[in-house]
Amino acid sequence: MNIRTDNRNRLFFQASLLGVIAVLALSSPAAGQWWRFGADAGTPFFTDLLFNNIDAINVDRNLRISADDLDAGSVRVRGRVEADRGVIGRVESSLDGGLNWQEIPFNERGLFAFEFRPDIERDYRFMIRAFSTTGQVSDELDHSFVFRVVREDTRALARKVFEEIIRLYSARDRARFMSYVSSRFTGNAVALDSALSSDFSLFDSIRITPNIQSMGEFNGKWNIYFSFNRQLRSARTGETFRDRANTSLTLIREGESYRLYELATPLIFGLSDPSEVATSDTLDRGTDEIIEVDEDGEIKIVTPDDSEELDDPDSDPAPGIPHNIREGSVDLSVQVYADGSGIGHGEAFSLFDYTKKGIYATMTFGNELGSFVVFGDEVEAGEILGSGPISSVTSVPAEMGFLGEDSEPEEGRLYALKLIDGTYAVLQLSDVVINDDEGGIFETMTFQYRHQRNGTPNF
Amino acid sequence: MKKIRIVLFLLIAPVAVSSALAGTGIIIPLEPPDSIIITPSDTVYEIDGFFLEEDTGRRSFEWHSRISHEQHGVSGAGSGSSFLDSGGHTVGEVEFRSYSPVGENWSGELNTTFQVTQSRRYDPSDFSVRQIRYILSDSSGRNHLTLGDYYASLSQYSMNRSLKGLGYQRNFREGWYMRIAGGVFHPRWDHVAGLGKNRPVDRRAVGLRAQAAGERSILGVNVLTAWDWDRDPERTTQTTYSQMLYSLDWEHRVSGIILSGEHAYAPTRRQPAGGSDEDITGSANRINTRAHAGNLRFQFRGEHVTPDFYTMAGGAAVDRFRIYARGDYRIDSNWSVYAGNDWYRNNLKDRLTSTTRTLIPEIGLRARGLFDRRSLLFTSGIRRRVIRTEKPVGRESISDRLNLSLGDRYRALSLRGETEIMLNNRRKPSPGTKTRDYLYRLVADSRHLFLSGSLEMRPYITLSHQEIEDSLTGKPVRINSLDFDLRGTAVNNLSFGLSYGNRRNRSSIPGQDNSREVRYSANAERSMEFLGGARIQADFGQSRYRFSDSERNYRENFFQLSFNRSF
């Protein structure tokens, strides 16, 4: 498929959707009277609806319960109906889509109850309505759904939902995935929704194989602890990322199904916003490396220890923990292709999150064009110090000038940097290695760095 | 006592029989209850002040086994990128379950599950105990004791984890109970026994919850003590914690409004490896409101969690102040609108270099049942996400998302189309970038019956087109995909499925590969009566990955055979 065909596809989709919206807008009934705000406040409405212990007040189309949920073979329906003005005059329910209505007694507080014995695997078209003494009736469609008792036990139901939400995430179907997120989700459901959009823009291929290790149930919640094999492919670079880890999630019973109640780290969904989505940690996450996405949408694989650092890269160390200075080394390479096609993108490094990046990304320093050390937009100022052991540098100037690049770098050269977050760093080009083979010329620069994170220029 | 039960049984039996004779699916009105509060499952029936117990004196033993073998094959120059591990992977699982009465008024249930595998894809150990649980409960439903694997749920902030230990609940009256849970938070039994590699820190906890309930209110008090056991030399590099946590959760209902909340306070001792101990104290508070007035539904959520709030057994997003509000208004039986706003920030104690604030306003319009078509559903929404981090870090990004979706069902055919457009604008740090992402998706599924209903076929087809702009080069990546699934169910407990997927990724970014992924698979499952109802399942398939650079190409083959049997 070429670009022209792609554009045609896009135009077709856009035109189709606009057409549908136009039809809907033109067909909007006159009943859409938004200015009648609050005019129906006297209409009765149901505030509670329970099928045995299952909350059915927000059930949309289907309510499926397991045979485990039955109480001596029966379903006991309990609920409460209220009206802002007027008094409730009558409550009725139907199991055949409104063909037959049964009056239900209720007390002065609007509480009512009834029961029925359902057949297994048979559909019942449940409806309930209430009339006020002023003649107003609740909307029958509010609590109208197909009810069925299925053979599976609740464990099987929860397991099915677990598999389904992993399938929907792998299919990158945000809308249907979010329909499985509980209104009581302990993390930020709005942030999860946004994170899914970002995830599905970042990854064009998502494959997850879960292996449930254990399941525990209490009060309508299933906690599932599982290991997973995961493969994600970056839509932008085509690079493939793989990891294996243990994690857990919790599902809660809501009407027709189980829904996502809690996510733990390492995250399996919503990688783009982990601090808002996950509310607990999995202690036994394993020692394997984990895929994470940083604030700039960069995908990386980090070890669990790094992960704790990266959750909050600009956090100060906790009192009593002597890690104001972070030290390390990094190899940054660049390739000149032998077929004459040019020079590959060099590599860069960020002292904000201690990860490698592309040379054009937000970075601190990088290796470009084989003989340039370049400094990126994370550097506010800098200076070439000379040479000597990096550990011999005990302080750097607090005020320095602009430092964009070093076009004639030498092994052993030291650089002082002031970063835009107000912290200081010392850098040393410790080694330069050039390999010439059939694929072209590879140049690798090795840098040592010391990053003083407490905001002082003293090391 | 036994005689009384027999007499009561004779009294109630005609009622039960008449209910049964009345047939299934018939509504039987009951006396309105005094409360709507969810109670533990009743096994006691009260008649004129007397209790008749359900017969729980059965004794049973059953076991279930599952054996599965997967065979993976990977070939091609780029096989190192494959998701699969070449070779055979076998796993076997057996679960035992027994019920037995304990004395006159108690019953016990024992569940144990064991797993054997030679594949590290499934488990780090060849043999593992997956579950040991014994539940003891009395026939009145007032006492409930669990030993072994137990999902301890007190409240969100205090305790909400699976543990290995014990849990006990004593029910007093409707909505009133006391719950105790204690144990160690190891997901694996071999770690409890001090075996296995890569064991995490031993985290132990004991928690207590007492709940009282009125007609419209619930009040819960939770106390938790938890500590990490750090004597193992393998784990000296980890930071460990010990704490007391106190929390109070509540719910109150007034006309059309449900208010709820939780307030927690946690003095904690943090013990960094190689560092000196440090005492931190944090608090967490959340308040939720759901209101219903006429056609308006409103929800509000406020949460404040200090940076030093650490919960060892519960869950919370720390260092966060969040306010969320949303209103849904139903214009008529078809149309409704909603508007919401989410705002949150971190750095509540000014310990970070800079503060990040996030604002997510959104509005949307929904329609259901237009043109008298009850299954027609239209949704639309616009959401903006603004993230600002103060200087000196200095970041600012704004992304707008527009989504539209339309779905309907025509007899057996269900259709859904949706589009999502994202406009991303990173303003800081400079130079800023602007990108646009588009997603279009069309999903269709249907259900067909053949051979007088003895064969049911459900085909599903999904077409999608996505465009993603690269922020560095401004060049787009275009992804087209087609997925087709066919699921069938026939008489004689046979089900089967066919699946095909084709995805093309075309990148305009210089130096990036184009790629194509084609996968197809088939599966079948059948219950075999002559094998005692055992289920046999077979799956096989192939995936091919092609790239512009043929050195990256590879192919995956897989085959899986599973056998399930209950005894």
Side-chain angles (χ1 to χ4, degrees):
Chain A
M1 190 178 287
N2 57 29
I3 292 173
R4 182 175 294 177
T5 313
D6 285 326
N7 284 334
R8 276 208 304 271
N9 282 344
R10 199 174 84 188
L11 283 171
F12 170 75
F13 275 108
Q14 286 175 336
S16 305
L17 284 161
L18 285 172
V20 168
I21 293 163
V23 168
L24 288 171
L26 291 172
S27 65
S28 173
Q33 297 165 334
W34 57 268
W35 57 88
R36 292 181 65 243
F37 183 88
D40 296 329
T43 307
F45 57 93
F46 292 86
T47 61
D48 299 276
L49 191 63
L50 294 173
F51 275 54
N52 288 344
N53 283 340
I54 297 160
D55 186 358
I57 190 69
N58 292 316
V59 170
D60 191 9
R61 296 185 180 194
N62 295 290
L63 173 61
R64 288 187 170 81
I65 72 171
S66 79
D68 292 349
D69 296 317
L70 293 177
D71 189 348
S74 291
V75 172
R76 188 172 296 183
V77 179
R78 287 182 295 173
R80 188 204 313 256
V81 62
E82 293 183 8
D84 291 340
R85 289 194 294 269
V87 177
I88 302 299
R90 187 179 173 92
V91 177
E92 295 178 340
S93 186
S94 169
L95 292 176
D96 54 14
L99 291 176
N100 297 286
W101 290 94
Q102 171 69 49
E103 185 173 356
I104 309 296
F106 58 94
N107 62 19
E108 68 281 2
R109 298 199 303 273
L111 293 161
F112 60 86
F114 61 91
E115 68 177 7
F116 64 98
R117 294 175 64 84
D119 286 334
I120 305 288
E121 297 291 354
R122 178 181 163 188
D123 284 342
Y124 295 90
R125 293 162 65 201
F126 176 83
M127 296 177 88
I128 191 163
R129 65 186 180 188
F131 298 83
S132 72
T133 50
T134 56
Q136 290 184 290
V137 60
S138 65
D139 191 333
E140 293 168 8
L141 296 180
D142 270 355
H143 307 290
S144 168
F145 49 80
V146 175
F147 170 77
R148 173 186 279 213
V149 179
V150 294
R151 284 202 172 84
E152 290 106 326
D153 56 18
T154 59
R155 183 191 187 93
L157 286 176
R159 191 179 183 120
K160 267 189 177 176
V161 169
F162 171 74
E163 291 167 352
E164 179 67 2
I165 58 178
I166 285 185
R167 190 190 72 76
L168 291 171
Y169 184 74
S170 303
R172 306 188 309 149
D173 192 337
R174 183 191 59 78
R176 290 190 60 202
F177 182 97
M178 286 306 295
S179 71
Y180 279 94
V181 176
S182 167
S183 58
R184 288 176 279 180
F185 182 63
T186 58
N188 185 333
V190 178
L192 173 62
D193 190 12
S194 293
L196 291 178
S197 289
S198 301
D199 285 3
F200 300 153
S201 290
L202 286 172
F203 306 116
D204 71 333
S205 173
I206 298 173
R207 298 179 71 187
I208 298 170
T209 305
N211 179 28
I212 294 177
Q213 306 279 337
S214 63
M215 294 177 69
E217 188 269 346
F218 196 85
N219 264 11
K221 291 181 201 159
W222 273 101
N223 180 253
I224 301 174
Y225 169 72
F226 61 102
S227 59
F228 63 85
N229 291 268
R230 174 167 60 182
Q231 177 177 283
L232 306 174
R233 193 172 67 195
S234 165
R236 289 175 170 84
T237 66
E239 192 179 353
T240 300
F241 299 85
R242 278 180 294 161
D243 63 356
R244 292 181 180 187
N246 306 321
T247 190
S248 66
L249 58 78
T250 305
L251 303 174
I252 190 168
R253 188 65 182 267
E254 271 187 8
E256 75 271 27
S257 175
Y258 281 91
R259 291 198 163 87
L260 190 60
Y261 175 74
E262 185 181 51
L263 284 170
T265 57
L267 267 181
I268 192 160
F269 312 125
L271 276 63
S272 303
D273 200 352
S275 61
E276 289 300 315
V277 171
T279 48
S280 64
D281 295 318
T282 303
L283 280 178
D284 184 12
R285 55 168 61 183
T287 57
D288 297 320
E289 295 173 325
I290 295 161
I291 300 171
E292 288 195 356
V293 177
D294 72 10
E295 291 172 335
D296 293 323
E298 296 284 336
I299 308 159
K300 57 205 171 191
I301 294 184
V302 297
T303 61
D305 290 340
D306 286 343
S307 175
E308 287 175 14
E309 291 279 352
L310 293 169
D311 283 345
D312 217 345
D314 56 351
S315 65
D316 288 339
I321 302 176
H323 61 266
N324 291 335
I325 296 176
R326 177 140 175 173
E327 298 179 338
S329 69
V330 61
D331 295 337
L332 302 178
S333 300
V334 69
Q335 178 185 7
V336 180
Y337 298 116
D339 61 6
S341 58
I343 300 170
H345 295 313
E347 292 181 324
F349 191 74
S350 168
L351 287 175
F352 278 20
D353 56 15
Y354 308 101
T355 58
K356 275 191 187 182
K357 309 200 169 224
I359 196 77
Y360 297 117
T362 301
M363 64 174 198
T364 306
F365 58 92
N367 175 5
E368 188 184 37
L369 301 179
S371 56
F372 283 72
V373 177
V374 294
F375 299 96
D377 46 16
E378 290 176 355
V379 177
E380 183 179 298
E383 200 172 281
I384 296 174
L385 295 177
S387 60
I390 190 170
S391 58
S392 66
V393 180
T394 55
S395 67
V396 297
E399 298 301 325
M400 294 180 278
F402 173 74
L403 182 65
E405 64 181 33
D406 181 3
S407 57
E408 296 178 345
E410 294 177 3
E411 286 185 25
R413 178 165 288 176
L414 289 162
Y415 305 89
L417 303 177
K418 181 181 182 184
L419 308 186
I420 59 171
D421 65 357
T423 61
Y424 293 85
V426 184
L427 193 68
Q428 183 168 46
L429 176 59
S430 58
D431 196 16
V432 180
V433 176
I434 298 175
N435 287 318
D436 192 352
D437 65 13
E438 292 179 356
I441 300 169
F442 295 87
E443 183 198 73
T444 302
M445 291 181 171
T446 302
F447 292 90
Q448 308 291 323
Y449 62 84
R450 299 189 79 209
H451 183 197
Q452 173 54 278
R453 305 196 295 182
N454 67 4
T456 72
N458 304 315
F459 287 79
Chain B
M1 186 68 186
K2 202 169 185 178
K3 285 181 181 175
I4 293 173
R5 281 189 203 142
I6 291 169
V7 171
L8 287 172
F9 175 76
L10 292 173
L11 287 172
I12 202 169
V15 179
V17 169
S18 66
S19 294
L21 290 175
T24 60
I26 301 216
I27 292 174
I28 303 167
L30 301 173
E31 280 296 310
D34 291 331
S35 168
I36 198 67
I37 293 169
I38 299 171
T39 57
S41 181
D42 294 331
T43 51
V44 178
Y45 300 94
E46 184 180 354
I47 301 173
D48 295 333
F50 292 94
F51 292 92
L52 179 69
E53 294 171 7
E54 201 178 335
D55 177 22
T56 54
R58 62 204 165 98
R59 185 188 296 271
S60 67
F61 176 77
E62 58 190 63
W63 61 286
H64 178 83
S65 68
R66 184 176 76 91
I67 300 170
S68 174
H69 177 78
E70 277 184 328
Q71 193 70 37
H72 297 162
V74 184
S75 60
S79 57
S81 299
S82 173
F83 176 58
L84 301 180
D85 302 311
S86 285
H89 306 272
T90 305
V91 61
E93 195 175 274
V94 60
E95 178 182 356
F96 299 96
R97 185 180 297 182
S98 71
Y99 302 89
S100 60
V102 180
E104 274 198 17
N105 298 317
W106 295 75
S107 63
E109 177 186 340
L110 177 66
N111 290 306
T112 50
T113 307
F114 305 98
Q115 180 183 275
V116 180
T117 181
Q118 46 68 247
S119 171
R120 300 291 76 85
R121 188 176 179 86
Y122 285 113
D123 201 279
S125 303
D126 290 346
F127 173 81
S128 58
V129 179
R130 309 300 287 266
Q131 179 184 222
I132 303 175
R133 187 179 63 176
Y134 183 71
I135 301 170
L136 187 67
S137 54
D138 70 347
S139 52
S140 70
R142 293 195 177 100
N143 295 285
H144 203 85
L145 174 70
T146 302
L147 298 171
D149 284 290
Y150 179 66
Y151 179 29
S153 180
L154 302 186
S155 69
Q156 181 192 325
Y157 290 147
S158 62
M159 195 181 213
N160 199 33
R161 296 273 178 96
S162 289
L163 55 76
K164 295 186 178 358
L166 67 86
Y168 170 73
Q169 179 163 324
R170 166 76 183 179
N171 299 313
F172 299 104
R173 57 191 167 101
E174 195 164 273
W176 290 67
Y177 66 81
M178 185 186 69
R179 187 181 299 158
I180 300 170
V184 58
F185 294 107
H186 277 309
R188 297 177 61 88
W189 277 100
D190 53 356
H191 290 170
V192 176
L195 305 172
K197 295 177 181 175
N198 305 321
R199 280 178 291 133
V201 67
D202 294 327
R203 176 161 295 182
R204 301 166 182 201
V206 177
L208 168 73
R209 173 181 174 81
Q211 179 180 298
E215 183 189 325
R216 290 180 176 269
S217 303
I218 298 174
L219 182 67
V221 177
N222 310 284
V223 180
L224 176 100
T225 177
W227 65 97
D228 290 336
W229 193 259
D230 191 29
R231 289 188 186 167
D232 191 333
E234 290 178 27
R235 297 192 290 273
T236 52
T237 57
Q238 291 186 12
T239 300
T240 56
Y241 298 84
S242 60
Q243 75 173 180
M244 288 293 295
L245 190 149
Y246 312 92
S247 99
L248 184 77
D249 61 276
W250 53 274
E251 180 180 301
H252 183 67
R253 296 170 179 235
V254 290
S255 179
I257 301 174
I258 302 173
L259 295 160
S260 61
E262 183 175 0
H263 313 281
Y265 171 77
T268 303
R269 171 155 292 185
R270 181 160 57 194
Q271 299 145 306
S276 52
D277 291 2
E278 180 192 5
D279 289 323
I280 55 174
T281 300
S283 64
N285 298 276
R286 62 182 169 89
I287 293 175
N288 297 335
T289 305
R290 283 186 291 147
H292 185 145
N295 289 344
L296 177 68
R297 285 187 183 187
F298 177 76
Q299 54 178 309
F300 169 85
R301 188 171 294 175
E303 187 168 31
H304 185 279
V305 184
T306 63
D308 287 330
F309 180 77
Y310 186 79
T311 171
M312 296 175 70
V318 295
D319 194 13
R320 201 71 75 231
F321 178 36
R322 180 184 178 218
I323 293 175
Y324 173 70
R326 173 177 164 136
D328 289 67
Y329 180 69
R330 200 175 64 186
I331 299 167
D332 58 25
S333 59
N334 298 124
W335 293 88
S336 64
V337 293
Y338 69 89
N341 188 45
D342 197 5
W343 177 90
Y344 50 93
R345 59 160 288 187
N346 64 358
N347 199 16
L348 300 184
K349 300 237 167 172
D350 286 330
R351 293 202 188 140
L352 305 181
T353 310
S354 54
T355 303
T356 299
R357 291 179 173 82
T358 304
L359 180 71
I360 309 178
E362 69 177 321
I363 55 170
L365 177 68
R366 288 181 174 165
R368 163 165 290 176
L370 292 173
F371 316 116
D372 292 326
R373 300 192 60 81
R374 194 184 161 206
S375 55
L376 189 147
L377 178 65
F378 165 75
T379 63
S380 63
I382 300 173
R383 166 182 293 185
R384 164 165 284 203
R385 183 167 63 159
V386 182
I387 305 173
R388 287 195 182 95
T389 305
E390 291 172 346
K391 287 180 179 179
V393 173
R395 290 171 187 266
E396 181 179 340
S397 65
I398 298 172
S399 96
D400 294 308
R401 187 184 79 189
L402 166 68
N403 68 281
L404 299 167
S405 169
L406 181 66
D408 199 1
R409 179 175 287 277
Y410 304 88
R411 296 177 186 273
L413 176 67
S414 176
L415 281 168
R416 178 168 64 97
E418 64 181 44
T419 186
E420 187 171 295
I421 299 169
M422 286 185 68
L423 310 173
N424 307 306
N425 182 1
R426 196 192 75 179
R427 293 180 175 174
K428 293 176 185 174
S430 62
T433 57
K434 287 186 179 179
T435 59
R436 294 180 178 190
D437 299 342
Y438 303 91
L439 170 68
Y440 308 96
R441 188 192 302 270
L442 187 65
V443 183
D445 68 81
S446 62
R447 180 185 177 206
H448 307 278
L449 297 173
F450 301 97
L451 304 173
S452 305
S454 58
L455 174 65
E456 180 184 319
M457 303 285 277
R458 292 190 169 194
Y460 297 78
I461 188 164
T462 303
L463 290 163
S464 76
H465 173 78
Q466 187 172 13
E467 290 187 26
I468 300 162
E469 229 169 55
D470 179 50
S471 59
L472 297 179
T473 61
K475 303 289 186 184
V477 177
R478 295 183 174 87
I479 303 155
N480 292 296
S481 67
L482 161 69
D483 292 284
F484 174 74
D485 282 295
L486 179 66
R487 299 173 203 172
T489 309
V491 290
N492 302 325
N493 296 315
L494 171 68
S495 62
F496 56 91
L498 297 169
S499 174
Y500 171 80
N502 190 329
R503 176 174 298 144
R504 286 168 181 265
N505 183 322
R506 298 208 167 259
S507 175
S508 307
I509 303 169
Q512 297 296 338
D513 271 355
N514 294 330
S515 64
R516 182 179 179 187
E517 175 186 336
V518 178
R519 58 172 177 77
Y520 42 89
S521 63
N523 67 75
E525 184 177 344
R526 173 91 193 264
S527 290
M528 303 289 190
E529 292 303 326
F530 69 95
L531 290 175
R535 281 189 299 122
I536 295 178
Q537 184 178 351
D539 296 82
F540 61 95
Q542 187 180 75
S543 301
R544 289 189 222 156
Y545 300 86
R546 295 278 182 273
F547 299 87
S548 307
D549 175 5
S550 60
E551 288 299 304
R552 296 179 63 192
N553 292 353
Y554 62 97
R555 174 185 295 193
E556 297 171 341
N557 299 303
F558 75 90
F559 173 74
Q560 182 179 34
L561 188 65
S562 301
F563 178 86
N564 289 267
R565 170 85 202 269
S566 295
F567 299 90

